[in-house]
Amino acid sequence: MRQRVLTMAATGAAAALLLSACGGDGGGGGEATGSYNQGLTEVVNPSDQTGGTLRFAISADIESTDPGNTYYGYVWNFSRFYARTLYTYTAAPGEAGREVVPDLAEELPEVSEDGLTWTVRLKEGLRYEDGSEIVAEDIRYAIARSNFGDQALPNGPKYYQQLLADSEDYEGPYADPDDPFEGFGGIETPDDHTLVFHLKEPFYDFTYVMVPPQSAPVPPEADTGEQYQARVVSSGPYRFEDDWRPGNGLTLVRNEEWDAETDPVRTALPDRITVEEGIEQNEIDQRLANGQLDVDLGGTGLGPAMKGQVVTDDAARANLDNPENGAHYFLAVNTQVEPFDDQACRQAIQYAVNREAVQRAWGGEVGGTIATQVLPPVIAGANPDLDPYPSEGHAGDADAAREKLAECGEDGGISANLGVRSDRPAEVAAAEAIQESLARADIEVSIQQYPSDTYTNTQAGSPSFVHDNELGLMIYGWMPDWPTGYGYMSQILDGDAIKDAGNSNLSELDDPEINELFDEVITVEDPDEQAEIYAQIDELVMDRAVIVPMVFHKSVLYRPDNLTNAFFNPSWKMFDYAVLGTTETGS
């Protein structure tokens, strides 16, 4: 079926939407009047006040500022300040925030009747920070550099490489700089404002693939590979003030070439945006409460210490939102590290983990709900009754775990290394809870801590590192790339998604039956039929015991009184950064 959906003009659309959501009139930005969980359904402290400095901080270093070389959700959200994409999500709380709308694109894609050809037309007059025009070939180049060839950027997903036709032998744009598109038939650019995507087979989620920052344009002459992150050429309302170096922080200032008339979501209220890196989580939380910071960039919410204080304080609760954000924190069990190459040994871990203790590590009920299956409840196909490794009170079953150890020939007990991100206190506390509960089943665990900015690329996400260091167990958190089972599960469970670096399939699961179901579901258009397949995949994954479900995460997000236009966007799974402002104009 040929599809073309028109969108209304974007003139002032973002600001108008924010103000109308709360009945605000756009005046001034006075004293905040928020209440507990208000940001889940409406905009808190709506304002169109411009000026000031919006202040972010993060406990690690930013993974990468390069839109094509990142897989952390907070970077996907934050990078929109300086990187526009083909499509984005509506700037609104609640279900409205799940709607895909054009960004650089003029309208939603035209799709051929066979589902194989997707045509996207760009708005005209779009410009980079230097005044040069953004053209279709720059987006084609951006997708090529992040997805194809041995020198492709390692950190992001590889959906385009998996889905695009006529590109199997393409070696990427770095292989031949004089002819960067040689062998790349998956995307055509018949003119400066048109992209034509050719798919191997129908994939009805493809519009979602064009939302993440890999579709942000990159001028080929400015590309310096992995060093491009030092100064990304801006297509958004802000540009880099100076070169960025990990650990040194980042400052964004206004990009005078950005045209608000073309932008459906960004309000560009602050004059400056700053990011401090490597700030200890307790300090971030305290500075938020004191009004010395505006936003925790990581987006996962308060750490355990501050969380315990504010959730029981009636006055402080008015500044909190406690959404179930679609994230699942789980324990990945690597199938290539002994003795977990044996299914029964993996099932022993499933039985032994005390999920109740892990939930407490995340702050109890405000930190998340206990998970017994892979799919989060917000995804169609999730089955809350799926619990193949039950125990009383979810406290673990040491006897059942020992029986499984005996079944895999390890009745004397086993030892394992457990990887965790060192700068995330809740994850470290969860690792210690896992260590204690597995010890009751004769499983000795040694906790190995790594920084989060390198965890997915260099340690847990590098199969060679995992094998060399015998990381049989790894704590990981995963949010849907988009709100379907494929958008959630494919990168962590499909064998085709395993990568040498930046790997998210930490279990290295390459199961033919599961792979075949992923191949099948992308050709299915009916959502109910898709959900049935996703439920089947979930059951098979739990049987293979490669993921130990722990908690469906609930973040505790803090809104300082001076933060304006604050709300939880379910698509970004945190505050919608692109519309935030501040009343502290003297900052």
Side-chain angles (χ1 to χ4, degrees), residues 385-461:
D385 297 323
L386 182 61
D387 186 8
Y389 307 99
S391 63
E392 185 175 353
H394 301 293
D397 187 336
D399 291 336
R402 291 191 192 94
E403 290 176 8
K404 284 295 179 180
L405 289 179
E407 186 178 326
C408 67
E410 301 286 353
D411 52 351
I414 60 174
S415 60
N417 291 325
L418 190 163
V420 65
R421 288 174 278 206
S422 59
D423 44 64
R424 299 195 174 188
E427 293 188 24
V428 174
E432 292 168 349
I434 291 168
Q435 182 184 51
E436 181 178 349
S437 59
L438 265 59
R440 294 182 301 162
D442 302 326
I443 302 170
E444 181 183 349
V445 170
S446 175
I447 298 173
Q448 309 296 317
Q449 300 191 35
Y450 308 102
S452 62
D453 57 314
T454 61
Y455 188 68
T456 299
N457 186 37
T458 307
Q459 289 97 29

Side-chain angles (χ1 to χ4, degrees), residues 25 44 46 54 126 137 188 194 267 285 318 460 470 499 542 551:
D25 61 5
V44 180
L54 188 64
L126 300 168
E137 193 160 288
E188 294 181 290
T194 306
T267 53
D285 296 346
E470 298 182 336
K499 298 183 291 185
M542 290 303 299
V551 293

Side-chain angles (χ1 to χ4, degrees), residues 563-584:
L563 189 67
T564 63
N565 304 321
F567 62 89
F568 176 80
N569 187 312
S571 292
W572 302 115
K573 298 94 177 174
M574 57 193 77
F575 290 144
D576 194 318
Y577 293 164
V579 297
L580 295 175
T582 177
T583 59
E584 298 293 330

